[in-house]
Amino acid sequence: MSRLKLIILFIATTALATACTSTVDIDENGSQVLVLNSLVTPDATISARITRTWNHSENRPDVTQDNATVILSVNGQISSLMTFDAESKLYTSTVTAHEGDIITITASHPDYPSVSGTSEIPEKVEIESMEGRVQKLIDTNHIIVGSDNQTTYGYLYRIFYTLSFNDPAGSDDYYYLALNGTTGGADDDFDLSIDDIFSSNESILDESFSAGNRVPLFRDVSSDGETIHLNFIHNLRTSDPIGKLRNYS
């Protein structure tokens, strides 16, 4: 069993999640099946995405299943019936996961065979230290027209981070990088090119958790039981909300 861990910057601990993966040969001409994806972290409520398999000929349809019956069990006991949220397209619950909990999610649907997944929530990993420096640059991609019709450029703030934490020994661990609970993504907020550790991504995780392989996922391939020093850049622009920029002007 591999473990997937969520790093939330500016919070004193690293939250963890578990990921159990297996490879299944899909018959393109066969029956469609349900797909269950869930990212569960300690001290956070539990949610899950229920979709179905699809053929390439369907050209990436919306495969979200909003009429499934999704049951959440904690430590072998049925805890709640998860409800579908139309905005996020997730099945949600009010149950909070804790370290050591064994979480089971079972989804059934009138048109497909049932599917389930079970995983144990591992202990948290403490963030040992975090350092950062800011580089302020002219952003030629952001043009500002003032009240006097004068044209100027906005600013790009490149924040260089080094985050250090101890990787537990003897387990195959995966990490998932987020900033205040929000991942990088299509807006190119994260620049991961300065650290080779991100090149150890597993393609199966990229497909499961990211859109266009943009979510920062990495693995402790060469750092088992050692202190990991993670380097990355977070980009902010003057077009971003003021609250995000107030510490970097």
Side-chain angles (χ1 to χ4, degrees):
M1 180 180 296
S2 300
R3 301 191 298 177
L4 177 68
K5 304 175 181 174
L6 169 65
I7 299 177
I8 302 181
L9 304 184
F10 311 133
I11 296 179
T13 60
T14 15
L16 310 184
T18 61
C20 297
T21 61
S22 61
T23 301
V24 179
D25 293 326
I26 300 297
D27 181 0
E28 286 281 356
N29 299 314
S31 301
Q32 294 172 340
V33 297
L34 284 182
V35 178
L36 163 64
N37 279 312
S38 182
L39 179 63
V40 185
T41 62
D43 305 327
T45 54
I46 300 171
S47 61
R49 185 179 302 277
I50 308 298
T51 59
R52 64 165 175 83
T53 55
W54 52 275
N55 296 330
H56 288 292
S57 60
E58 294 184 75
N59 194 23
R60 291 188 175 273
D62 182 359
V63 293
T64 301
Q65 302 300 300
D66 59 3
N67 59 337
T69 299
V70 184
I71 298 174
L72 172 65
S73 298
V74 180
N75 299 322
Q77 300 294 320
I78 294 178
S79 177
S80 67
L81 185 67
M82 302 178 72
T83 57
F84 183 74
D85 176 71
E87 183 175 356
S88 65
K89 296 186 176 182
L90 294 174
Y91 285 84
T92 63
S93 73
T94 58
V95 177
T96 299
H98 301 287
E99 297 177 34
D101 283 346
I102 297 176
I103 304 297
T104 299
I105 299 175
T106 302
S108 58
H109 191 282
D111 298 330
Y112 312 104
S114 298
V115 63
S116 66
T118 299
S119 194
E120 180 178 353
I121 306 303
E123 65 182 21
K124 296 179 181 178
V125 172
E126 299 290 338
I127 294 176
E128 300 297 323
S129 65
M130 185 177 68
E131 299 177 353
R133 62 181 178 87
V134 180
Q135 182 182 30
K136 184 178 180 181
L137 304 171
I138 297 295
D139 186 0
T140 56
N141 294 318
H142 180 209
I143 299 175
I144 302 172
V145 179
S147 57
D148 56 358
N149 289 325
Q150 292 295 314
T151 299
T152 59
Y153 294 109
Y155 290 103
L156 170 65
Y157 298 87
R158 290 175 60 80
I159 309 170
F160 295 78
Y161 285 107
T162 298
L163 185 151
S164 301
F165 59 96
N166 294 322
D167 177 66
S171 60
D172 191 10
D173 300 321
Y174 294 84
Y175 294 86
Y176 174 52
L177 178 65
L179 178 61
N180 283 345
T182 303
T183 66
D187 54 2
D188 293 329
D189 278 349
F190 285 106
D191 180 354
L192 311 177
S193 61
I194 63 172
D195 199 322
D196 292 338
I197 194 171
F198 292 102
S199 65
S200 64
N201 290 3
E202 293 287 330
S203 60
I204 190 171
L205 292 179
D206 285 334
E207 291 297 327
S208 297
F209 292 103
S210 66
N213 298 333
R214 296 290 309 161
V215 171
L217 292 161
F218 60 98
R219 181 184 176 192
D220 65 342
V221 173
S222 58
S223 306
D224 183 53
E226 301 178 2
T227 298
I228 294 179
H229 303 286
L230 182 65
N231 297 287
F232 62 96
I233 299 172
H234 185 229
N235 295 313
L236 293 174
R237 295 174 172 81
T238 49
S239 57
D240 288 330
I242 295 298
K244 295 178 67 177
L245 293 170
R246 61 175 179 266
N247 296 325
Y248 310 110
S249 58

